[in-house]
Amino acid sequence: MFKFSWASLMLASSAMAVATEPVERISVYASHTPMSESEVLASVTVLELADIQARQARDLPALLAQLPGVQLSRDGGRGQNSGLYLRGGNTGHTLVLIDGIRAGAATNGYKALALVPLELVERIEVIRGPRAAWYGADALAGVIAITTRQSAGAELNANLGSYGQAGADLSTGWQQDRLQLNASLGYSRADGFNVREDLDPDRDGYQQRFAKFAATYQTSFGTLQAQADINSGNTEFDTGWGTEDQSAVLQRSYRLGWQHDGARWQQQAQLSRIYDQDTSYGPASRSPFITERDEFSYQSSLSLTEQLQWHGGVNWYAEQVDRSAVPYLEQSRINRALFSGLNWQQAGWLLEGSARRDLNQRYGGNNTWQVAAGYQFADGWLVRASRGAAFKAPTFNDLYYPGSANPELAPERAIADELALSYYTDNGSVQLAWFARDVSDLIQFNLATYLPENISQARITGAELQVDVTLAQLRQQFAYTFLDTENQLTSEPLPRRPKHNLNWRLEYQWRQLSTYLSASYQSESFQGPYASRSYLGGYTLWGLGAAYPLSSKLTVRANIDNLLDKNYQSSDGYNTAGLTFGLNLNYRAF
């Protein structure tokens, strides 16, 4: 078992670091305006491309699991279903934005992160805590904002690894005067491993193809943008329900955007369409589900004075189930919203307030709000507090799926509080946060009745500690999350939320060689009253990796996950990967 005395030793050694080159990270989505991470009145983690490549994660869920506040439950390996619980919220409580577009199928109400190609990701911003006052429903626990690749030249990646993993992707960019064109495409696959030993004794692998095309044109009245993304593939899985054990996915998104930046007034508008097709099939049946979402948003930011800035805008989206294996009682709904907020900074004080009004076609008007205050009491130090309200409407599956729907469900509502202290210096940062969230009418699936139901009240409290410090060629990153959840109707914990999560990473730079050693600990987790095992045991996973530039353009990276070949589960009954080796070649012609 992982010893917390060892973790304390890591923190103590980090505290002795001395200054190196400062790195300023900018939050774009937390307050609807670019702002230094050290001044944001929310818990934010920003990963740039260099951070993403250095971590050498197998896929997006594996990368996110290394961050504070994130708990992950996997039903198998790469390509398989993954449940992400941000600060103890349900998977559907985290809004996923991809290039500013609300992502995810209307039927289940969330984005399958295992299907997002990490090869296309340029930047990730994770905002922990409700952002419903800015983004509406689905941002009850937080926001994951993903920016896809916009290469300035040509970049080629090729990779291979354990379990038959192989893939390649190409990104390229071209610019002529005011016109910029970008394109990315790639392919990946794996044989996988047997996900469930009690079911089909076969390997459960996947294949995935993806492409992105984008154009940007500068004009005298602003920047025009157009983008198209295509993601398709096949995934094998094991299930105890029926004979369907494969899934074919086709996802398409289209975006038109406009942005104008003036001296005091910034504006942007965006029109998008999301098409999501997911078909499960097997030897005896086929279950297609096709959903679409059309969305329009407009946002304006105005500097009223040097200290005071106003933000506001409108948002409209329509969701529709175009085709389904079973008939839904309702197949479409519309949401309209108006939001506004203020940011004020003066003499070390930072204040923020925002409010939003959503008009949901089924549930009528819903008001959400957020207030936050911070004080920079010394150079690099910030103490802050916030409170916010959020809501989430039930999904189409919750309300209308025949045989397992509950049309009487009420929207989930939450009030969240946070107190935090942070310190930023040239050689790193330390962040400590306490949070609490009371959720009314939390939706949980009851396996006894096979119906979703509202829990009268749930309570989630916790704390996060994040340390990132550099000493000469040595960098240490430490993230610890304590989480305490309670279904106040039964006094049981909420399923699949371990109390303790810890991630430690040590990076060492020797000349041109970069190496790292990592450790991830998760305590035991409650799996629910109807699981075959009420609790799954805790585990510690070790990782090792290195990167070396063979030339100014060619870099080789290699890593080993689960270095000690630990046998563990994060979801009851589902196997996970053993010792896994990966090799990547990256060629950049910039």
Side-chain angles (χ1 to χ4, degrees):
M1 183 183 233
F2 190 96
K3 302 297 184 182
F4 284 96
S5 58
W6 180 79
S8 301
L9 179 62
M10 296 299 175
L11 282 178
S13 64
S14 295
M16 297 185 293
V18 297
T20 58
E21 295 182 9
V23 177
E24 183 180 28
R25 302 189 184 278
I26 302 299
S27 169
V28 178
Y29 290 91
S31 300
H32 264 284
T33 186
M35 186 179 297
S36 172
E37 187 180 15
S38 61
E39 296 180 338
V40 176
L41 298 179
S43 294
V44 177
T45 298
V46 177
L47 297 179
E48 303 292 352
L49 179 60
D51 304 311
I52 297 170
Q53 292 179 333
R55 289 177 178 266
Q56 298 194 49
R58 292 279 179 263
D59 59 5
L60 181 58
L63 176 65
L64 294 172
Q66 301 175 24
L67 305 182
V70 177
Q71 291 82 34
L72 191 67
S73 175
R74 305 200 69 150
D75 295 347
R78 183 168 176 175
Q80 309 291 333
N81 183 58
S82 299
L84 184 141
Y85 308 96
L86 186 60
R87 282 191 170 177
N90 288 344
T91 298
H93 290 174
T94 300
L95 174 64
V96 176
L97 300 173
I98 300 180
D99 292 327
I101 301 174
R102 181 183 299 266
T107 46
N108 58 23
Y110 62 87
K111 179 65 177 179
L113 293 173
L115 299 178
V116 178
L118 187 57
E119 297 85 350
L120 279 181
V121 177
E122 175 97 12
R123 186 179 190 273
I124 300 174
E125 184 173 338
V126 179
I127 308 161
R128 301 182 296 279
R131 292 280 111 180
W134 288 123
Y135 297 103
D138 306 337
L140 190 145
V143 175
I144 297 175
I146 297 169
T147 303
T148 58
R149 300 295 296 274
Q150 295 181 338
S151 298
E155 182 172 353
L156 175 65
N157 283 285
N159 64 82
L160 56 87
S162 304
Y163 303 107
Q165 172 67 43
D169 61 274
L170 172 67
S171 297
T172 183
W174 176 84
Q175 185 166 356
Q176 181 67 39
D177 297 328
R178 298 181 178 183
L179 177 65
Q180 179 178 335
L181 302 178
N182 293 96
S184 300
L185 55 92
Y187 171 81
S188 65
R189 53 92 61 199
D191 296 327
F193 53 88
N194 188 15
V195 172
R196 295 271 308 250
E197 295 179 354
D198 57 335
L199 298 174
D200 295 337
D202 63 342
R203 288 188 170 191
D204 299 297
Y206 80 96
Q207 294 185 44
Q208 186 175 34
R209 298 162 294 277
F210 47 89
K212 169 193 171 179
F213 306 95
T216 302
Y217 186 71
Q218 305 286 343
T219 73
S220 58
F221 55 88
T223 303
L224 302 177
Q225 302 165 325
Q227 181 174 315
D229 296 84
I230 303 172
N231 182 22
S232 66
N234 300 81
T235 302
E236 299 173 337
F237 58 91
D238 288 341
T239 178
W241 305 97
T243 61
E244 297 172 358
D245 60 358
Q246 297 184 63
S247 175
V249 174
L250 174 61
Q251 299 168 339
R252 296 196 297 256
S253 68
Y254 309 95
R255 179 174 73 95
L256 293 175
W258 168 76
Q259 181 172 329
H260 183 267
D261 296 325
R264 296 179 56 193
W265 189 17
Q266 295 82 42
Q267 301 177 80
Q268 63 181 41
Q270 182 168 270
L271 178 65
S272 64
R273 164 165 281 201
I274 298 286
Y275 173 92
D276 193 297
Q277 177 180 317
D278 190 342
T279 302
S280 298
Y281 59 93
S285 61
R286 186 179 183 89
S287 301
F289 291 87
I290 300 175
T291 65
E292 287 186 307
R293 179 186 296 112
D294 296 311
E295 183 171 9
F296 171 78
S297 61
Y298 168 80
Q299 177 190 322
S300 181
S301 298
L302 178 63
S303 297
L304 301 174
T305 67
E306 291 186 2
Q307 295 79 28
L308 184 63
Q309 190 172 43
W310 170 84
H311 312 280
V314 296
N315 177 250
W316 172 94
Y317 62 87
E319 299 175 311
Q320 182 172 321
V321 180
D322 288 339
R323 185 181 178 188
S324 58
V326 291
Y328 284 72
L329 183 63
E330 296 286 343
Q331 294 183 313
S332 65
R333 65 184 178 192
I334 295 174
N335 193 92
R336 294 163 292 170
L338 178 69
F339 60 88
S340 181
L342 291 171
N343 293 86
W344 180 76
Q345 298 185 20
Q346 188 171 14
W349 284 98
L350 297 86
L351 301 177
E352 176 182 296
S354 56
R356 177 172 170 130
R357 172 74 171 177
D358 282 85
L359 292 175
N360 185 281
Q361 188 171 354
R362 177 180 174 88
Y363 292 102
N366 292 275
N367 298 323
T368 51
W369 49 269
Q370 186 102 24
V371 291
Y375 181 62
Q376 297 170 321
F377 58 90
D379 188 27
W381 288 94
L382 173 67
V383 60
R384 58 181 173 84
S386 65
R387 165 166 273 218
F391 88 102
K392 176 176 172 59
T395 68
F396 279 88
N397 283 356
D398 291 334
L399 294 169
Y400 309 123
Y401 194 95
S404 62
N406 183 357
E408 303 302 319
L409 286 173
E412 300 168 289
R413 302 185 185 277
I415 296 291
D417 298 295
E418 182 175 10
L419 294 173
L421 176 68
S422 60
Y423 175 65
Y424 287 85
T425 185
D426 288 346
N427 64 310
S429 63
V430 179
Q431 302 172 61
L432 177 63
W434 168 88
F435 58 89
R437 185 163 70 251
D438 290 303
V439 186
S440 302
D441 294 320
L442 179 70
I443 296 176
Q444 296 281 277
F445 199 83
N446 189 330
L447 290 177
T449 62
Y450 205 65
L451 293 174
E453 60 184 21
N454 287 116
I455 298 173
S456 58
Q457 193 76 23
R459 174 76 171 172
I460 300 170
T461 58
E464 296 167 356
L465 174 62
Q466 187 174 8
V467 180
D468 186 346
V469 185
T470 301
L471 169 62
Q473 291 82 26
L474 197 66
R475 180 184 183 187
Q476 293 199 60
Q477 296 171 288
F478 177 89
Y480 167 68
T481 302
F482 169 76
L483 192 67
D484 186 23
T485 67
E486 183 184 8
N487 176 338
Q488 295 184 316
L489 184 65
T490 64
S491 297
E492 293 178 328
L494 298 178
R496 302 188 180 188
R497 280 83 155 175
K499 275 199 170 186
H500 305 282
N501 274 87
L502 188 151
N503 288 280
W504 171 75
R505 181 181 177 88
L506 176 68
E507 298 178 0
Y508 180 70
Q509 182 78 35
W510 183 73
R511 295 183 179 177
Q512 291 183 299
L513 177 66
S514 301
T515 62
Y516 75 83
L517 175 68
S518 66
S520 298
Y521 167 75
Q522 177 174 299
S523 65
E524 67 175 10
S525 59
F526 179 64
Q527 296 294 295
Y530 301 102
S532 62
R533 290 178 291 174
S534 296
Y535 281 87
L536 293 180
Y539 55 86
T540 301
L541 303 178
W542 292 86
L544 183 66
Y548 185 79
L550 299 176
S551 70
S552 60
K553 297 181 179 180
L554 182 63
T555 300
V556 59
R557 296 183 177 90
N559 73 327
I560 300 175
D561 288 339
N562 196 359
L563 183 63
L564 303 182
D565 199 22
K566 178 73 173 180
N567 184 17
Y568 71 100
Q569 292 184 349
S570 60
S571 178
D572 182 41
Y574 288 90
N575 296 326
T576 51
L579 185 149
T580 305
F581 173 78
L583 180 68
N584 173 271
L585 286 174
N586 173 261
Y587 178 80
R588 305 181 71 184
F590 290 172

